[in-house]
Amino acid sequence: MRIAVVTGASSGIGREFVSQIPAFYRHLDEIWITARRAERLEEVKKDVEERTGIYVRVFAGDLEKDLVYKQILNRLENQNPDVRMLVNAAGFGKIGEAKAIAEHDFSAQLRMIDVNCRALTKMTLLILPYMKTGSRILNVSSGASFCPQPGFCVYAATKAYVTSFSRGLSEEVKKNGIVVTAVCPGPVDTEFFEVSGTNNSKAKAAAMVTAKEVVRTALLDARRKKPVSVHGTLMKGARIAGKLMPEDAIFYALDKWMR
């Protein structure tokens, strides 16, 4: 049985992956989806099944807790599927300077580490034994991973972990014919900013793209076996700048961007 697994599937980039994967893998038997919001997952299930005929299996649960992993592992052990694709799209961000946050409630900053880093790693290690030659892992990182970001420092650091983990894992598993791609978008028009907060900068608005565009680019890049997927000229330029520019110049540019 051939399956794809998508975390963070109830909205945004994760939901868009569920929508587009059937065209990428035309012989899937099932898509397994997980997120906290069960009602949203049922909406995704109904939409995809009606359009594609592929069965969608729902695992509603919190990736910060053990239960959903146990449920998925139990199903893996019972069915021993061939996992053709894993998409780790679950994650969130919170804008704010660390000192100001520390004086109030910093639990959300610690949760970012748990969800963006720990949960992604745990799901990857859980699924990896069920992947074979030609399987793909897409980890949704961010353009924020290209350099440190004052005012968004914990989020950027968690995404730097995602990109680094993905690049290292890519080298480890390529001998097994498995492709790993870090997906690094800039601002995407999703619910992300409802959670993170926003500065409503004109620069961010100018760089905004749709989840549909990002996911299409990511799937094509995974097909081409690219280790990093960056959508759009602006973010490709940001990646190069992150490698070449002095940090002081980057911080100055980011301050202008954030304003």
Side-chain angles (χ1 to χ4, degrees):
M1 182 177 71
R2 294 186 166 203
I3 72 167
V5 180
V6 182
T7 74
S10 62
S11 65
I13 291 175
R15 182 167 185 163
E16 188 61 37
F17 266 111
V18 180
S19 179
Q20 292 193 35
I21 283 173
F24 185 86
Y25 278 119
R26 297 185 183 277
H27 301 291
L28 284 178
D29 297 294
E30 294 185 6
I31 301 176
W32 295 5
I33 62 175
T34 183
R36 290 181 297 109
R37 295 177 288 187
E39 300 84 0
R40 288 282 194 94
L41 292 178
E42 291 297 331
E43 292 174 7
V44 176
K45 172 183 171 71
K46 181 180 179 181
D47 173 62
V48 173
E49 289 182 347
E50 288 179 351
R51 286 191 299 103
T52 70
I54 297 174
Y55 180 72
V56 177
R57 191 177 298 276
V58 171
F59 296 88
D62 188 341
L63 291 176
E64 295 176 76
K65 300 178 181 178
D66 291 333
L67 180 59
V68 70
Y69 300 99
K70 291 179 180 177
Q71 291 172 336
I72 292 173
L73 179 59
N74 181 64
R75 182 64 62 174
L76 288 168
E77 291 175 340
N78 287 338
Q79 296 189 228
N80 192 31
D82 176 7
V83 182
R84 305 312 298 156
M85 179 174 285
L86 166 64
V87 178
N88 283 305
F92 73 99
K94 272 289 185 182
I95 290 174
E97 293 189 357
K99 185 177 184 301
I101 291 167
E103 293 171 353
H104 296 89
D105 180 10
F106 52 79
S107 59
Q109 303 293 318
L110 300 182
R111 284 190 60 234
M112 270 192 282
I113 299 171
D114 288 338
V115 176
N116 298 357
C117 301
R118 186 175 181 275
L120 178 143
T121 306
K122 187 173 183 177
M123 187 62 72
T124 301
L125 298 179
L126 187 73
I127 298 294
L128 198 54
Y130 296 89
M131 306 189 92
K132 301 176 182 177
T133 297
S135 295
R136 290 171 170 83
I137 299 172
L138 289 93
N139 290 326
V140 178
S141 183
S142 169
S145 70
F146 299 152
C147 61
Q149 293 210 3
F152 214 9
C153 63
V154 176
Y155 175 77
T158 65
K159 292 304 184 178
Y161 170 86
V162 173
T163 299
S164 179
F165 172 71
S166 301
R167 293 291 289 110
L169 183 64
S170 175
E171 289 300 307
E172 289 183 4
V173 301
K174 69 179 182 181
K175 62 181 178 292
N176 304 114
I178 299 171
V179 174
V180 183
T181 301
V183 182
C184 299
V188 183
D189 187 13
T190 67
E191 297 174 11
F192 177 88
F193 293 105
E194 294 177 16
V195 176
S196 71
T198 179
N199 55 12
N200 293 316
S201 72
K202 291 180 180 179
K204 187 196 76 178
M208 190 78 71
V209 296
T210 66
K212 186 175 182 178
E213 294 172 295
V214 170
V215 170
R216 175 173 170 75
T217 298
L219 289 172
L220 289 173
D221 285 343
R223 179 172 284 165
R224 296 166 183 149
K225 301 182 179 180
K226 288 188 176 183
V228 179
S229 175
V230 182
H231 176 79
T233 303
L234 182 61
M235 293 314 300
K236 289 177 181 178
R239 185 186 181 200
I240 294 170
K243 294 179 178 180
L244 300 180
M245 288 176 63
E247 281 194 346
D248 285 349
I250 291 173
F251 293 155
Y252 177 81
L254 284 173
D255 181 64
K256 294 294 186 183
W257 172 280
M258 294 294 282
R259 292 178 188 277

